[in-house]
Amino acid sequence: MLQREISRPIYLDYHATTPVDPRVAAAVLNAMTTAFGNANSVDHLYGEEAAALIDIARSEVATLVGGEPDGVHFTSGASESIQLAINHAARQSRSSGPLRVVMSAVEHRAVFDAIAALEGIGEASVRQVPVDSRACLDLDALKDACAFGADLVCVMAANNEVGTLYPIERVAQIARSSGASILVDATQGAGRVPMRAELWNVTYVALSAHKMYGPKGVGALVTAPDRKVRNSHSLVRGVGDGTPNVPGIVGLGEACRLRRLEMEVDEVRIASFRDRLETLLLADIPEAVINGDRANRLSGNLHIAVSDVPHGAVVARLRRRVALSTGAACMSGAQTPSHVLKAMGLARRLQEGALRLGLGKFTQEREIEEAAHHITEAVNATRRALAVTKS
Ligand code: PLP
């Protein structure tokens, strides 16, 4: 067992997913083995107990993002939440024509795909808002796009590749002043940066448990009071309530509770580790470029690019030592250039040398120097190998 622990690579891919906090796992286990009732069978204590646990989770999710418990709809993850929100918005605007969507150019694939599906059947039209070289949104362009007419504005809380944070309160003001609803994909931001959905007038917030030390396969869509619906399935016409995933929902709720209590302290520590890693890497690889908005990014994000050093080769060399990625989880391995880096105008040679490092709550201080050493070695070894091939 100890041997396995020692040989496991350092985990620096917290944007892809996070390990489950053992306290969350304990709550999930309890909901599977002791409080295992069917929350729809409220004729006895077991069902009542499960239903009460769901209510607690609902309240924790709402509190974390500043919404109302009644607005919380449990889903299988952020992708489903995003789809629900976009389809719900489309249904609301159907009588007046296709859904007019304004979205940032760096949204997650889940947003692009859900909108493309509607576009394909003539039920949506899209305007993309550009970002600058740090992936910051052009707010004037957002205003202009909204002025053409918008029903739904989609802007993420934090970017899953380069970590840039978005000014959601300001974006929501712009959206609302043109009469549009706003969907915030808070998958990377929830539990890392404060969210005040109701105060900021946000219509839909999507989030996922596995990005905040909870289990996979469960998430939530939080809707504003003016879109209040009793349960997730009432957003989907004609589908009734199935048996809720009580353990998953309990895990999500407990993860949200712990994030609310611990996020502030955790994020300061994580940022200090990230800064140390950044300093070490820049000292050893001075030509490396740091992407994203260094003044306003996720604490755990470090996105670096080394020109002419193919990232696939670096990641392969690091396979047994450091777990990191070349881009978003849904893109890595696909050899497709990142739409985020393209939208930022990053030179092709840098795009191909991009490495996404993600630190989190369980990253240890001692892992930082070790990871920096291994990454530097892998970059240098890749360079040497390329030089031999070319000579
Ligand atoms: N949105 C963002 C910003 C993400 O990073 C992810 C996952 O990588 C998703 C949406 C999809 O989340 P899920 O895996 O819960 O469907």
Side-chain angles (χ1 to χ4, degrees):
M1 180 67 192
L2 186 62
Q3 192 54 42
R4 277 195 59 194
E5 291 279 319
I6 289 167
S7 64
R8 288 177 79 77
I10 296 169
Y11 187 73
L12 292 183
D13 201 12
Y14 275 77
H15 299 303
T17 195
T18 58
V20 174
D21 187 311
R23 296 167 294 177
V24 173
V28 172
L29 183 63
N30 180 59
M32 294 175 89
T33 54
T34 305
F36 60 82
N38 182 333
N40 289 342
S41 308
V42 287
D43 291 336
H44 49 68
L45 181 124
Y46 291 91
E48 273 175 13
E49 189 177 36
L53 288 177
I54 289 185
D55 283 343
I56 293 170
R58 196 184 292 287
S59 162
E60 289 298 349
V61 173
T63 308
L64 183 70
V65 298
E68 291 279 341
D70 267 6
V72 175
H73 316 286
F74 295 109
T75 63
S76 63
S79 300
E80 187 189 342
S81 303
I82 287 165
Q83 240 178 59
L84 272 180
I86 290 171
N87 289 338
H88 186 251
R91 253 199 342 270
Q92 297 227 320
S93 82
R94 201 157 284 158
S95 55
S96 55
L99 182 74
R100 294 164 304 170
V101 180
V102 170
M103 64 188 282
S104 89
V106 294
E107 291 304 295
H108 189 268
R109 277 285 147 214
V111 174
F112 275 92
D113 290 350
I115 291 168
L118 285 177
E119 251 187 317
I121 52 170
E123 294 202 356
S125 65
V126 187
R127 269 176 211 283
Q128 278 189 35
V129 180
V131 295
D132 67 12
S133 59
R134 295 163 302 154
C136 298
L137 194 63
D138 181 337
L139 291 179
D140 288 330
L142 174 67
K143 272 188 221 156
D144 291 348
C146 287
F148 272 102
D151 301 309
L152 181 68
V153 170
C154 303
V155 174
M156 63 204 332
N159 188 268
N160 52 300
E161 289 189 46
V162 296
T164 299
L165 301 175
Y166 295 95
I168 296 305
E169 186 174 10
R170 185 73 196 104
V171 168
Q173 276 168 2
I174 295 170
R176 288 294 189 168
S177 66
S178 68
S181 303
I182 167 162
L183 162 61
V184 175
D185 173 3
T187 313
Q188 297 288 341
R192 295 194 172 93
V193 290
M195 281 283 311
R196 299 282 167 268
E198 203 173 331
L199 188 70
W200 297 345
N201 231 333
V202 170
T203 325
Y204 307 101
V205 180
L207 53 89
S208 191
H210 78 101
K211 306 287 188 181
M212 49 170 143
Y213 316 110
K216 290 166 186 58
V218 60
L221 175 67
V222 184
T223 56
D226 62 338
R227 311 296 158 101
K228 213 177 269 177
V229 274
R230 236 343 278 167
N231 53 58
S232 67
H233 296 117
S234 58
L235 278 169
V236 185
R237 199 180 288 168
V239 179
D241 275 357
T243 304
N245 168 14
V246 184
I249 290 170
V250 164
L252 171 63
E254 182 63 359
C256 288
R257 186 182 77 83
L258 293 171
R259 287 293 72 214
R260 172 168 58 81
L261 297 175
E262 299 174 358
M263 135 170 108
E264 219 175 305
V265 171
D266 282 351
E267 294 303 298
V268 171
R269 185 185 66 255
I270 293 166
S272 78
F273 291 176
R274 185 272 316 276
D275 291 345
R276 174 89 186 121
L277 184 55
E278 182 177 298
T279 305
L280 290 169
L281 288 174
L282 286 178
D284 290 339
I285 317 169
E287 68 282 23
V289 170
I290 308 296
N291 297 308
D293 185 358
R294 287 171 87 177
N296 191 31
R297 62 184 158 161
L298 288 168
S299 318
N301 180 277
L302 178 54
H303 194 279
I304 72 167
V306 193
S307 189
D308 295 326
V309 179
H311 50 194
V314 176
V315 169
R317 280 180 197 279
L318 285 167
R319 197 166 174 76
R320 289 175 187 277
R321 298 198 164 88
V322 183
L324 76 174
S325 101
T326 57
C330 56
M331 300 298 289
S332 49
Q335 298 303 319
T336 329
S338 147
H339 69 287
V340 173
L341 303 184
K342 261 180 28 191
M344 290 162 61
L346 197 72
R348 186 77 197 214
R349 295 161 77 170
L350 285 168
Q351 287 181 34
E352 287 164 1
L355 298 169
R356 182 185 68 174
L357 310 178
L359 290 73
K361 185 178 176 66
F362 301 108
T363 304
Q364 304 286 312
E365 192 167 10
R366 64 177 161 72
E367 293 177 319
I368 300 299
E369 302 223 355
E370 207 182 317
H373 167 76
H374 290 316
I375 294 167
T376 306
E377 289 260 305
V379 167
N380 290 338
T382 305
R383 266 206 197 108
R384 283 194 300 272
L386 280 173
V388 169
T389 322
K390 280 181 189 156
S391 63

